[in-house]
Amino acid sequence: MQLIKKIFVFPRIIYFFIPIIILIFLFTNLLSNAVEVSSIEFIGEATFPKGLIFKKTEVGGLSGITYDAKNNLYYAISDDRGQKAATRFYTLKIDLSKGSLQKSGVIPVSVTRLLNENVQTFRPGETDTEGIALTNQATVFISSEGDAGKLINPFIKEFSLSSGREIKTLPIPNKFLPDKTSKKGIRNNLAFESLTITPDKKHIFTATENALIQDGIAAKPNIGSPCRILQYNLLNNQPEKEFLYQTEPVAPFLNLIGKFASGLPDLLALDNQGHFLSLERSFTGLGFAISLFQVSLEGADDIHKIDSLLAVDSKNIKPVKKKLLLDLRTLDVLLDNIEGLTIGAKLPDGQQSLILVSDNNFNSLQRTQILAFKIKIETPLIRLLHRLLPNLNH
């Protein structure tokens, strides 16, 4: 009889621990804020008239964009180096109220000139502003590529949203700074294009568009480039980690003019756990190749202590994980030089929008193009429920 009781005690212990194990799994894995884009749908395109003049400035060179959900406004940075007007960003309204973007659905509503620490506009050629990210303090961070040829350092600065006045500058690690020998630092026009802040506003990320000189070659036809993602802690305003991001090799198509460029122009933080969307853009000789990737820092090696990837065995370095989300060449759209992206307004059906913007280079042959998408962003818990209950949405 005692033996029979012992046999039945064992299953009871299992039944006791099973709910505990399930709860631990849920709390450690499913109830995190980690998210994933499970679907994406193109919902429209708008373009600005060529040579559009707004408040005595030519609207163009829009290289980065960020969304202000509180005021339902978008801020887009121009990469004009002060040649056509002072360094500036534009405030835009984008109408998605019908669930799509109409051709005339984007209008500029104001322009803000950036002022340096001396409360003066930046000198022509002093900046190459490419990335922009909104804080919750009525400010924006803006990145500049600088000018490696003129030994002008890149920067990441915070500015007042209302006045455009500089508030503070984040320190740039020495390995990124150009020097007279041209043996280290950023490559000209291939530096800090991207900028994004995590939803909890604790971290800001930027990345080099191509490899640092001491890390490897710039992108070439059929050859990608090893970029660095740079992570800052906004609690102490210090850089703390770096990660290897390898861009995809892109094949040129009927490249009769011999020009080719490819790289990483923007990142978008989806959560606080190191999950992003990345934008890769290539000029292939005949039009542009634009791709969206889902990116994860999970398992990637921190390389901030490595000054040169060429000086180590980089094959042993684990890069960030990437998964192709969308090749925009599959859309029925003539693509321009897409360089910026941001999560946008909620659509009427409750889904999230994604906005992309192009830099027309102030070139009469190019356009300022805004593309809109509907995206579905899911947490691990929602994804699990969909697997267990496939008819949940029906």
Side-chain angles (χ1 to χ4, degrees):
M1 193 68 179
Q2 292 296 324
L3 179 61
I4 295 175
K5 286 183 178 180
K6 288 180 179 179
I7 291 173
F8 279 98
V9 167
F10 181 69
R12 290 177 184 173
I13 293 175
I14 293 177
Y15 296 147
F16 175 76
F17 280 106
I18 284 177
I20 295 177
I21 292 171
I22 292 174
L23 287 173
I24 291 173
F25 178 75
L26 285 172
F27 277 101
T28 58
N29 293 282
L30 300 178
L31 298 184
S32 70
N33 291 323
V35 297
E36 182 177 309
V37 176
S38 59
S39 67
I40 182 167
E41 175 189 347
F42 178 61
I43 58 170
E45 170 194 16
T47 57
F48 284 157
K50 292 183 179 181
L52 174 65
I53 301 298
F54 178 77
K55 294 192 174 180
K56 299 181 180 180
T57 70
E58 182 175 345
V59 181
L62 303 187
S63 298
I65 188 167
T66 189
Y67 177 57
D68 182 348
K70 182 179 179 181
N71 297 300
N72 193 26
L73 295 170
Y74 298 78
Y75 309 114
I77 185 70
S78 173
D79 69 358
D80 177 13
R81 298 190 182 198
Q83 306 300 322
K84 294 183 175 293
T87 305
R88 61 201 180 276
F89 68 85
Y90 292 91
T91 301
L92 309 175
K93 284 186 177 180
I94 300 179
D95 184 5
L96 300 172
S97 60
K98 295 181 180 179
S100 63
L101 178 60
Q102 306 299 311
K103 291 182 179 180
S104 59
V106 184
I107 58 171
V109 293
S110 66
V111 58
T112 304
R113 293 165 177 81
L114 300 183
L115 305 176
N116 62 21
E117 59 187 351
N118 298 319
V119 199
Q120 297 176 336
T121 56
F122 289 90
R123 298 188 304 273
E126 189 178 5
T127 67
D128 183 11
T129 45
E130 300 278 359
I132 185 169
L134 180 69
T135 74
N136 56 1
Q137 302 295 319
T139 65
V140 286
F141 278 94
I142 291 173
S143 63
S144 169
E145 293 193 291
D147 190 325
K150 297 179 180 178
L151 298 182
I152 297 175
N153 290 336
F155 69 63
I156 302 171
K157 295 177 181 287
E158 186 179 13
F159 297 88
S160 166
L161 195 57
S162 58
S163 69
R165 182 173 180 174
E166 180 180 329
I167 297 171
K168 67 185 173 195
T169 301
L170 300 184
I172 306 296
N174 184 63
K175 69 170 73 73
F176 293 89
L177 303 180
D179 69 359
K180 296 179 181 179
T181 68
S182 297
K183 293 181 179 180
K184 66 172 282 289
I186 56 168
R187 286 181 160 89
N188 197 44
N189 208 33
L190 294 172
F192 297 155
E193 283 253 1
S194 55
L195 204 62
T196 185
I197 296 178
T198 53
D200 63 7
K201 308 302 181 184
K202 292 182 179 180
H203 294 93
I204 189 169
F205 291 81
T206 188
T208 57
E209 188 179 358
N210 267 208
L212 298 177
I213 293 173
Q214 70 271 26
D215 281 346
I217 64 172
K220 296 181 179 181
N222 302 302
I223 301 175
S225 186
C227 307
R228 286 189 189 237
I229 294 177
L230 175 55
Q231 173 183 324
Y232 284 85
N233 187 330
L234 288 180
L235 300 181
N236 59 17
N237 298 316
Q238 294 298 310
E240 57 181 8
K241 293 181 180 180
E242 294 169 24
F243 304 94
L244 173 60
Y245 180 108
Q246 185 72 41
T247 64
E248 296 300 301
V250 176
F253 181 69
L254 289 179
N255 197 347
L256 301 177
I257 60 175
K259 291 186 178 181
F260 179 87
S262 186
L264 171 65
D266 213 355
L267 287 170
L268 175 63
L270 294 175
D271 61 19
N272 306 317
Q273 282 75 41
H275 297 87
F276 302 83
L277 292 183
S278 71
L279 180 68
E280 294 191 26
R281 177 276 326 271
S282 303
F283 177 71
T284 65
L286 186 64
F288 293 91
I290 313 293
S291 294
L292 281 172
F293 292 87
Q294 296 187 71
V295 176
S296 173
L297 301 184
E298 182 181 356
D301 290 330
D302 178 6
I303 60 172
H304 82 277
K305 292 183 179 180
I306 301 175
D307 288 335
S308 169
L309 295 179
L310 293 176
V312 299
D313 187 357
S314 59
K315 293 180 181 179
N316 295 325
I317 297 174
K318 293 180 181 177
V320 302
K321 298 175 184 176
K322 293 168 55 183
K323 183 176 74 172
L324 180 64
L325 179 64
L326 178 66
D327 183 341
L328 273 67
R329 289 176 295 184
T330 61
L331 304 177
D332 187 21
V333 175
L334 179 62
L335 297 173
D336 211 289
N337 184 33
I338 300 293
E339 288 195 357
L341 79 164
T342 186
I343 292 292
K346 285 285 184 70
L347 298 169
D349 63 1
Q351 295 295 333
Q352 195 71 62
S353 68
L354 177 72
I355 301 296
L356 277 61
V357 65
S358 77
D359 171 5
N360 70 347
N361 293 309
F362 297 96
N363 186 328
S364 61
L365 299 177
Q366 293 182 247
R367 301 164 298 153
T368 296
Q369 178 183 50
I370 298 92
L371 303 178
F373 298 83
K374 177 194 293 188
I375 60 174
K376 183 179 290 185
I377 302 176
E378 295 181 333
T379 64
L381 179 58
I382 294 299
R383 292 198 298 275
L384 177 64
L385 290 175
H386 282 161
R387 293 190 188 104
L388 297 175
L389 303 169
N391 295 322
L392 187 64
N393 289 333
H394 299 296

